[in-house]
Amino acid sequence: MMRPATLEDVPALVELGRLMHAESPRWSRLPYSAERVSSTLRTLIESPDGLVLVADRSGKLVGGILGLMSLDWMSDQRTAQELALFMLPEYRGSITPCRLVAGLVAWAKIKGAQWIEAGVSTGVSVERTARLYEALGFERSAIVLENRNV
C-alpha cells in the first residue's frame, strides 16, 4: 500500500535513508546525519509544500519518495522536485516504485506545478531508474556535475 507518511514513520524512514546512504557510492562519501534526515522528513510531512509517500507492506516500510514544491528561481512558476526515491532492493523490480512516482506526479498536479524535476544522484541503478522515469512520462533534460576538489 502507498500512503502519505506520518510523523510516526520518521524513525523507519531515517533507517531507510541510512540504507540508501550506505549503498550509494556517491552519497556514502558524506557522513550520514540521522538528526538532519529526521528534521527534513518532519518538515516535509508537516509542510503544505512537502510530500513524503511511503510504500507499506503489512506495517513494514519498504520504500518511499520525497517531494518539495517551490517557485522556480527565475520565475513565478511552481516546480515540484523529487528529492529522493528509495526502495529496498527486493522491491525494486515491482510496481511499487511506479506507484510512488505516479503519486508524486498526482501531488504535483494538485499543487499546480508547471513541471516536475527528478533525478538519479545515488549512482545506484542509474539507467534503470532513468528508464522508470521515462516510462512514466519524464524526459532527460539536464546533466549534473560535481567538483570534489574544494
Side-chain angles (χ1 to χ4, degrees):
M1 169 178 65
M2 183 183 70
R3 62 173 175 78
T6 67
L7 292 177
E8 290 76 31
D9 294 319
V10 169
L13 287 168
V14 168
E15 289 311 307
L16 283 176
R18 188 181 308 280
L19 293 173
M20 181 173 129
H21 174 266
E23 182 181 14
S24 170
R26 182 167 183 239
W27 294 116
S28 63
R29 297 187 311 244
L30 303 171
Y32 184 76
S33 171
E35 291 173 3
R36 175 76 174 126
V37 172
S38 178
S39 174
T40 298
L41 289 165
R42 290 176 185 282
T43 298
L44 290 171
I45 290 168
E46 293 177 335
S47 170
D49 289 328
L51 173 74
V52 181
L53 292 178
V54 294
D56 184 322
R57 296 289 176 266
S58 303
K60 177 185 176 186
L61 298 189
V62 299
I65 193 165
L66 311 179
L68 177 66
M69 182 68 65
S70 63
L71 293 178
D72 192 78
W73 70 271
M74 64 179 165
S75 75
D76 292 327
Q77 299 295 300
R78 292 176 61 77
T79 301
Q81 298 169 334
E82 172 263 314
L83 301 176
L85 169 65
F86 181 73
M87 297 297 305
L88 291 175
E90 58 268 31
Y91 292 91
R92 290 182 185 162
S94 72
I95 193 71
T96 305
C98 296
R99 289 183 175 150
L100 288 169
V101 174
L104 171 75
V105 171
W107 170 79
K109 287 179 181 177
I110 289 168
K111 299 300 276 183
Q114 277 68 44
W115 69 26
I116 306 168
E117 296 176 340
V120 186
S121 60
T122 60
V124 176
S125 302
V126 173
E127 283 303 316
R128 183 178 180 186
T129 306
R131 286 191 304 273
L132 166 71
Y133 277 108
E134 288 171 331
L136 297 170
F138 288 73
E139 299 174 1
R140 294 181 192 225
S141 63
I143 296 173
V144 176
L145 305 164
E146 68 180 4
N147 182 336
R148 293 185 283 153
N149 298 316
V150 294

